[in-house]
Amino acid sequence: MKKLINSAETVVTDALRGLAAAHPDLRVDPGGRIVSRACGPTPGKVGLVSGGGSGHEPLHAGFVGYGMLDAACPGEIFTSPVPDQMVTATAAANGGAGVLHVVKNYTGDVLNFELAADLCAEEGVEIARVLVDDDVAVRDSPDTAGRRGTGATVFVEKIAGAAAEGGAPLAEVARVAREVNARSRSFGIALEACTTPVSGRPTFELGETEIELGVGIHGEPGRSRAAMRDARELAAVALDAVNEDMPLSGDVLVMVNGLGGTPLIELHIVFAEIAERLSGRGARVARSLVGDYVTSLDMRGFSVTACLLSEDLARLWDAPVQTPALRWGR
Amino acid sequence: MKKLINSAETVVTDALRGLAAAHPDLRVDPGGRIVSRACGPTPGKVGLVSGGGSGHEPLHAGFVGYGMLDAACPGEIFTSPVPDQMVTATAAANGGAGVLHVVKNYTGDVLNFELAADLCAEEGVEIARVLVDDDVAVRDSPDTAGRRGTGATVFVEKIAGAAAEGGAPLAEVARVAREVNARSRSFGIALEACTTPVSGRPTFELGETEIELGVGIHGEPGRSRAAMRDARELAAVALDAVNEDMPLSGDVLVMVNGLGGTPLIELHIVFAEIAERLSGRGARVARSLVGDYVTSLDMRGFSVTACLLSEDLARLWDAPVQTPALRWGR
Amino acid sequence: MDTALLTRWITGIAETVRANRERLTELDAAIGDADHGVNLDRGFGAAVQALAEEPPVSPGALLRLVGGTLIRRVGGASGPLYGTAFREAGRHLGSLGDSPEVSPAELARALRAGLDGVTRLGSAAEGDKTMVDALAPAVRALESATASPAAARAVAEEREAFEAAASAALAGAEATIPMVARKGRASYLGPRSAGHEDPGAASCALVFAALLSAVNDPGQG
Amino acid sequence: MDTALLTRWITGIAETVRANRERLTELDAAIGDADHGVNLDRGFGAAVQALAEEPPVSPGALLRLVGGTLIRRVGGASGPLYGTAFREAGRHLGSLGDSPEVSPAELARALRAGLDGVTRLGSAAEGDKTMVDALAPAVRALESATASPAAARAVAEEREAFEAAASAALAGAEATIPMVARKGRASYLGPRSAGHEDPGAASCALVFAALLSAVNDPGQG
Ligand SMILES: Nc1ncnc2c1ncn2[C@@H]1O[C@H](COP(=O)(O)OP(=O)(O)O)[C@@H](O)[C@H]1O
Ligand SMILES: Nc1ncnc2c1ncn2[C@@H]1O[C@H](COP(=O)(O)OP(=O)(O)O)[C@@H](O)[C@H]1O
Ligand SMILES: [Mg+2]
Ligand SMILES: [Mg+2]
Ligand SMILES: [Mg+2]
Ligand SMILES: [Mg+2]
């Protein structure tokens, strides 16, 4: 394993030092692992906080800024942050109108955010929470920890962020966030596993013509192993998995997301097939993102996330955003 | 080799189909391989055209839009486009005030753009050309084809694009473009080679602890092979190579660029070290880019590009830009 | 059982977790995200440091400090869960007045409170392939071996109680191998989770092995 | 030598380039960017198609069509260079009136014009480790073998001229192996470029081998 790191122990701190140097419009505490807007909380605005394990960059710190998050707290690689970080991030986001915690549905994230919310409530901060659980590769049943939160997190953070920026109260921002999650589904495919800095070995081994279907974003193996196919067929596998769980029609917001080690040219090839297949079903790519947004270290592969847009959601999606990883309209 | 493609032959066309589907503000001709602004040329504005082999995404098509390129023509993977494409792109960019060809210094690109410029001149279009040759890994001597054009291309396209958008005449846009190139230097390091779709094998083989110093962006081996080191030392190797050729001081525009298969978290770690080392030399990161901008398919590694900013250049850098891969200020 | 013994316990956990860091991470790589060993190493290392910086005055305070440190430093699923286990155990002793010395039976009841905290927070039952599959039988073994009045028991019998707890935890951890996970990350794999030992159950077996060592070790202070 | 023979030549180049596609690409992978075989395959394939669609009426027109097609379809360094070689050769014949039949000596002079075009455009000299290292000796060999008046030469001797050109090209290509490149991508490698055959020189040897085959092959039309 060759990685551009100084040591496995300092990966997150070192990356945050780099983020700080690259983005003067962010306030970054590399030791405390808090990233927030340099301008501080916006008085009277609902605050948005998210956090989770590192290794998914640009998620979440890359989405801090006007129109999206107020603060983020990155944990260790693939490890949920601790409640103290969440409490500090909440304080950095709190403009007095309450704070929404955007939590990806993983046991660790859920438990730590739960403990944090208790602490915040003790300090008198009004907290609402949205659980993102869009990954259809996992069955949402009592036999699982529930569907994982993956690509839809970007949609939730963007759209809820726009609602908050527009002055909506906490309950409404939370409602919009939950609506986005309810209308979104994802499915991921890996061509190669990722390698965590600590273990130094791929989290699973794939043969020359093997792929893993239904992977999450933590290097865990997926739903099943399959034979490698061309981009058109792989796009179909991913889109059909989404469509099976939530039939796609009308205006759809589509993200073809790279998992960290996939070049953009390949993502565009997948996106071409997704767009074509979607329109073959009578749906339409109304808005889109193609690139690395929710990654899994250096994993090779992609995920597809689709969100059924309403007019309101489309308007909030189009609203100005000014963050390291998403920018438009301002 | 597992790649998200339909076939080695259709890679470029398929990716352009995806680009078209993702960016309604671009006019994309996947068969003819021309990408231009959907709004057509801006009357009275100097046009900017660039092009080169594919495999470097988002370069160049991802930089078409307000404040940057008017048109781009992607060739086959690692193969300069042909003169006909350049002529068509020039026509799509021509607002009547002449067109600047931004050409990376490779024999193929130079020769094809030369033939194209002759054809354009025959049609009465005024053409100027800037040759980008920033890669200090290659000695600029009669014993070489001259330094390669790599990361500085982004700076040239952005800054010259802003000058053109601001109404500067062709000679001035060309002068600014040449000034940016003259003030810019790059150096690249590969941890793993890339694999071209046609050959299906890595362009060179590196051992578990070997890296290649001074690589370009076409999978060619670099200046020398060396032992893997930590991010801090690799950042120093790259920055020192740049600094040796062009001493760095004052305000510097710095790009830490991923070569296609490197996750963002690692690029931020490198950037942290670059920024620290620069300020140790009395220079300052005045502006920066961290991410994938000029890639080499799925190569793992990074390059550093530094440009000595003047006040004028900083102002042009800050000017609004609205392209798939660079957006701000509008 | 006093703070010295419990400090030896926590120090012992930190040592065995450090020694088993790679093994735990490998177990987690197979059915999780390859961080369990690192997570616990960070957490128990911090706990040992916290104990050294401000040595607690009672077993209850010690367990609360360890629990709070784990919650504050580990993250992931295991941080809140292990943290809650220790904190709730400590709180139970606190509710009894935080005496400077507790009997094995009292510790058993405290660990029962810790187990209850874990299942309340994580809502895992035995058989779900989690740390609960090692923790629950260990607590049961300790409870039943310490059920008779203290006066009637010899020191040797007490050691046997902790031996019973340690082997129950180990057996519980091994029993997770064929299970299909229904909680935590491993549950994403469905049937593919069978055939692998649960990392949290494996680390829980280490925790009870360390407790046995601490009891067996006369200590220096 | 008429358009039928030259059409056989171009078709032969396309076939041998297709058969050697991987080898040429491998050579380019070692000291370039692994596309030379694909580039020429695309170009000569297109040239064959262009000849079939609108068969040219003279060798000069044929060579110009091939050259223009290569320039329009290949890209890279080899597109303009090979394209210029054929186009300038064709232009030379055009300047002489585009007769439907040319002598080997006339072809030699045309190829000399092609070589001049290549060196003008790419400014490579012999020894720089480029296609020029195969092209220049081949042209020289053809020139000297066809220097005596046509009337004095037998058909067999003509074949020998093309044999001489083909072996000169092959020897020239092989001679690039120890060279340190001073032009094109391989020059980026400096001393590391030594020890590898130049892909453009290798393809140029194929071009002259195909010419010899076309001359030897009586053809059908
Ligand atoms: N709901 C739960 N209840 C009890 N234990 C759980 C639960 N979810 C996960 N665990 C335990 O946590 C362990 C994983 O811990 P760790 O790897 O540190 O956290 P994460 O899963 O967040 O990466 C699992 O092996 C399992 O024993
Ligand atoms: N300046 C030059 N003059 C003559 N031939 C050249 C020159 N530069 C490159 N070549 C030839 O072109 C060949 C490479 O062609 P090709 O791989 O198709 O293009 P590219 O280098 O653009 O990828 C080299 O092997 C060399 O023979
Ligand atoms: Mg984890
Ligand atoms: Mg090429
Ligand atoms: Mg884990
Ligand atoms: Mg080449």
Side-chain angles (χ1 to χ4, degrees):
Chain A
M1 173 211 52
K2 284 174 277 183
K3 282 182 185 292
L4 298 168
I5 63 175
N6 292 318
S7 73
E9 289 68 39
T10 59
V11 163
V12 177
T13 313
D14 288 343
L16 288 177
R17 286 168 48 228
L19 189 77
H23 296 285
D25 44 344
L26 295 181
R27 179 177 303 154
V28 181
D29 174 356
R33 303 195 175 177
I34 308 293
V35 178
S36 58
R37 301 188 193 178
C39 57
T42 312
K45 186 183 87 67
V46 167
L48 256 81
V49 166
S50 194
S54 291
H56 310 303
E57 293 64 30
L59 190 79
H60 297 271
F63 299 126
V64 173
Y66 181 86
M68 223 162 156
L69 298 181
D70 293 271
C73 46
E76 285 296 326
I77 298 288
F78 291 169
T79 303
S80 155
V82 296
D84 287 5
Q85 280 173 276
M86 296 160 176
V87 171
T88 310
T90 302
N94 182 15
V99 174
L100 178 70
H101 287 174
V102 180
V103 182
K104 302 196 296 303
N105 187 38
Y106 298 98
T107 306
D109 297 67
V110 170
L111 298 183
N112 284 284
F113 264 107
E114 232 162 69
L115 295 173
D118 289 349
L119 295 171
C120 293
E122 279 172 28
E123 289 174 21
V125 186
E126 201 188 346
I127 301 290
R129 184 179 81 172
V130 54
L131 261 193
V132 183
D133 64 342
D134 53 312
D135 185 352
V136 301
V138 175
R139 295 266 158 260
D140 192 12
S141 87
D143 283 353
T144 68
R147 285 198 313 235
R148 295 176 289 223
T150 59
T153 317
V154 180
F155 296 174
V156 170
E157 293 178 0
K158 168 65 186 83
I159 291 177
E165 215 70 62
L170 181 58
E172 171 61 10
V173 174
R175 191 199 61 72
V176 167
R178 289 188 197 109
E179 186 186 351
V180 174
N181 179 60
R183 289 166 168 265
S184 298
R185 298 290 188 281
S186 297
F187 191 85
I189 296 179
L191 308 191
E192 295 294 348
C194 60
T195 301
T196 65
V198 164
S199 99
R201 276 191 284 158
T203 54
F204 50 87
E205 296 280 354
L206 288 173
E208 254 309 291
T209 58
E210 276 180 333
I211 58 174
E212 190 75 24
L213 300 181
V215 292
I217 53 173
H218 296 87
E220 65 272 45
R223 199 195 253 185
S224 62
R225 197 148 291 194
M228 180 63 185
R229 273 155 275 182
D230 70 14
R232 179 176 306 233
E233 290 171 85
L234 292 180
V237 168
L239 193 68
D240 292 356
V242 164
N243 186 71
E244 212 169 274
D245 200 275
M246 179 185 76
L248 298 169
S249 66
D251 279 5
V252 185
L253 163 61
V254 178
M255 174 166 74
V256 168
N257 172 59
L259 295 177
T262 313
L264 185 58
I265 190 169
E266 296 184 27
L267 298 179
H268 273 127
I269 292 175
V270 171
F271 184 72
E273 304 304 336
I274 294 280
E276 200 172 292
R277 195 167 181 88
L278 250 188
S279 68
R281 296 180 178 284
R284 188 177 83 94
V285 176
R287 304 286 188 282
S288 62
L289 287 180
V290 181
D292 280 11
Y293 295 99
V294 182
T295 58
S296 184
L297 290 171
D298 55 354
M299 181 173 270
R300 297 175 78 123
F302 71 101
S303 64
V304 174
T305 304
C307 173
L308 300 175
L309 285 178
S310 65
E311 262 177 48
D312 279 353
L313 295 186
R315 193 178 39 74
L316 290 167
W317 178 258
D318 292 339
V321 59
Q322 189 77 13
T323 71
L326 274 196
R327 287 168 193 247
W328 58 71
R330 201 192 184 209
Chain B
M1 172 210 54
K2 284 173 277 183
K3 283 183 185 292
L4 298 168
I5 63 176
N6 291 318
S7 72
E9 289 67 40
T10 59
V11 164
V12 177
T13 314
D14 287 343
L16 289 178
R17 287 168 48 228
L19 189 77
H23 295 285
D25 42 344
L26 295 181
R27 179 177 303 155
V28 181
D29 174 357
R33 304 195 174 175
I34 307 293
V35 178
S36 58
R37 301 188 193 179
C39 56
T42 311
K45 186 183 88 67
V46 167
L48 255 80
V49 166
S50 194
S54 292
H56 310 303
E57 292 65 29
L59 191 80
H60 298 271
F63 298 126
V64 173
Y66 181 86
M68 225 163 153
L69 298 180
D70 293 271
C73 47
E76 285 295 327
I77 297 289
F78 291 170
T79 303
S80 155
V82 296
D84 287 6
Q85 279 173 277
M86 296 160 175
V87 170
T88 309
T90 302
N94 183 13
V99 174
L100 177 69
H101 286 172
V102 180
V103 183
K104 301 195 297 303
N105 187 38
Y106 298 98
T107 307
D109 297 66
V110 170
L111 297 183
N112 284 285
F113 263 107
E114 232 162 68
L115 295 174
D118 289 349
L119 295 170
C120 293
E122 279 171 27
E123 289 174 21
V125 187
E126 201 187 346
I127 300 291
R129 184 179 81 171
V130 54
L131 261 193
V132 183
D133 63 343
D134 53 313
D135 185 351
V136 301
V138 175
R139 296 265 159 259
D140 192 11
S141 87
D143 284 353
T144 68
R147 286 198 313 234
R148 296 175 288 224
T150 59
T153 317
V154 180
F155 296 173
V156 170
E157 293 177 1
K158 168 66 187 82
I159 292 178
E165 215 70 63
L170 181 59
E172 171 61 9
V173 174
R175 190 199 62 72
V176 168
R178 288 188 199 111
E179 185 186 351
V180 173
N181 179 60
R183 288 165 168 266
S184 299
R185 298 289 188 281
S186 297
F187 191 85
I189 296 179
L191 308 190
E192 295 295 348
C194 59
T195 301
T196 65
V198 164
S199 99
R201 276 191 284 158
T203 54
F204 50 87
E205 296 280 356
L206 288 172
E208 254 309 290
T209 58
E210 278 180 332
I211 58 174
E212 190 75 25
L213 300 181
V215 292
I217 53 172
H218 296 88
E220 64 272 44
R223 199 194 254 185
S224 62
R225 197 147 291 192
M228 180 62 185
R229 272 155 275 182
D230 70 14
R232 178 176 307 233
E233 290 171 85
L234 292 181
V237 168
L239 193 67
D240 292 356
V242 164
N243 186 71
E244 211 169 276
D245 200 274
M246 180 184 76
L248 298 169
S249 66
D251 280 5
V252 185
L253 163 59
V254 179
M255 174 166 74
V256 168
N257 172 59
L259 295 177
T262 314
L264 185 58
I265 190 169
E266 296 184 28
L267 299 179
H268 274 128
I269 292 175
V270 172
F271 185 72
E273 303 305 336
I274 293 281
E276 199 171 293
R277 196 168 179 87
L278 250 187
S279 68
R281 295 181 178 284
R284 188 177 83 93
V285 176
R287 304 287 188 281
S288 62
L289 288 180
V290 181
D292 281 11
Y293 295 98
V294 182
T295 59
S296 184
L297 289 172
D298 55 354
M299 182 173 270
R300 296 176 78 124
F302 71 100
S303 64
V304 174
T305 304
C307 172
L308 300 175
L309 284 178
S310 65
E311 262 179 48
D312 278 354
L313 296 186
R315 193 177 39 74
L316 290 167
W317 179 258
D318 292 340
V321 59
Q322 190 76 13
T323 71
L326 274 196
R327 287 169 193 247
W328 58 71
R330 203 193 185 211
Chain C
M1 309 184 81
D2 55 8
T3 55
L5 188 152
L6 294 196
T7 302
R8 285 204 308 277
W9 178 27
I10 304 303
T11 310
I13 298 176
E15 282 164 5
T16 186
V17 160
R18 167 75 43 101
N20 285 277
R21 207 177 100 126
E22 266 65 55
R23 183 172 73 89
L24 294 176
T25 294
E26 283 304 306
L27 290 178
D28 199 25
I31 55 172
D33 59 351
D35 62 356
H36 188 57
V38 183
N39 286 347
L40 291 195
D41 184 26
R42 180 172 61 248
F44 283 102
V48 168
Q49 209 183 321
L51 293 181
E53 277 165 13
E54 214 162 331
V57 294
S58 67
L62 185 147
L63 294 173
R64 292 194 297 277
L65 178 60
V66 169
T69 304
L70 294 178
I71 288 174
R72 262 182 297 105
R73 297 296 299 276
V74 176
S78 58
L81 290 165
Y82 267 117
T84 296
F86 283 93
R87 195 164 63 173
E88 291 301 316
R91 282 185 178 163
H92 172 83
L93 297 179
S95 72
L96 299 178
D98 266 337
S99 72
E101 179 99 28
V102 301
S103 71
E106 279 162 346
L107 185 66
R109 279 191 292 275
L111 292 178
R112 162 65 62 187
L115 169 61
D116 287 348
V118 168
T119 53
R120 219 168 27 242
L121 190 64
S123 47
E126 281 179 83
D128 285 354
K129 196 179 181 111
T130 70
M131 59 173 68
V132 171
D133 289 309
L135 183 55
V139 169
R140 267 200 307 274
L142 200 58
E143 280 174 335
S144 72
T146 57
S148 56
R153 273 179 286 132
V155 172
E157 278 176 70
E158 281 187 2
R159 291 200 175 155
E160 271 167 38
F162 290 100
E163 259 160 32
S167 17
L170 198 63
E174 278 166 9
T176 63
I177 296 178
M179 291 179 188
V180 172
R182 294 157 51 99
K183 282 282 177 288
R185 272 174 212 292
S187 72
Y188 303 145
L189 292 178
R192 290 174 98 190
S193 62
H196 302 275
E197 187 175 351
D198 176 65
S203 61
C204 190
L206 297 178
V207 166
F208 281 92
L211 180 54
L212 176 62
S213 300
V215 170
N216 281 337
D217 172 4
Q220 279 109 345
Chain D
M1 309 184 80
D2 56 8
T3 56
L5 188 152
L6 294 195
T7 302
R8 286 204 307 278
W9 178 27
I10 304 302
T11 311
I13 298 176
E15 282 163 4
T16 186
V17 160
R18 167 74 44 100
N20 284 277
R21 208 177 101 123
E22 267 64 56
R23 183 173 72 88
L24 293 175
T25 294
E26 283 305 306
L27 290 177
D28 199 25
I31 55 171
D33 60 351
D35 62 357
H36 188 58
V38 183
N39 286 347
L40 291 195
D41 185 26
R42 181 171 62 248
F44 283 101
V48 168
Q49 210 184 320
L51 294 182
E53 276 164 14
E54 215 162 332
V57 293
S58 69
L62 185 149
L63 293 173
R64 292 195 296 277
L65 179 59
V66 169
T69 304
L70 294 179
I71 288 173
R72 262 182 298 106
R73 297 297 299 277
V74 176
S78 57
L81 289 165
Y82 267 118
T84 295
F86 283 93
R87 194 164 65 174
E88 291 300 317
R91 281 186 178 162
H92 173 83
L93 296 180
S95 73
L96 300 178
D98 267 338
S99 72
E101 179 98 27
V102 301
S103 72
E106 279 162 345
L107 185 67
R109 279 191 291 275
L111 291 178
R112 161 66 59 187
L115 168 61
D116 288 347
V118 168
T119 54
R120 216 166 29 240
L121 190 62
S123 48
E126 280 179 84
D128 285 354
K129 197 179 182 108
T130 70
M131 58 173 70
V132 171
D133 289 308
L135 182 55
V139 169
R140 267 201 306 275
L142 199 59
E143 280 174 336
S144 74
T146 57
S148 56
R153 273 179 287 133
V155 172
E157 276 177 71
E158 282 189 0
R159 292 202 176 154
E160 272 167 37
F162 290 99
E163 261 160 32
S167 18
L170 198 63
E174 279 166 8
T176 62
I177 296 179
M179 290 179 188
V180 171
R182 294 157 51 98
K183 282 281 176 287
R185 271 174 212 292
S187 72
Y188 302 145
L189 292 178
R192 290 174 99 189
S193 63
H196 302 275
E197 187 175 352
D198 176 65
S203 62
C204 189
L206 297 179
V207 166
F208 281 92
L211 180 54
L212 175 62
S213 300
V215 169
N216 282 337
D217 172 5
Q220 280 109 344

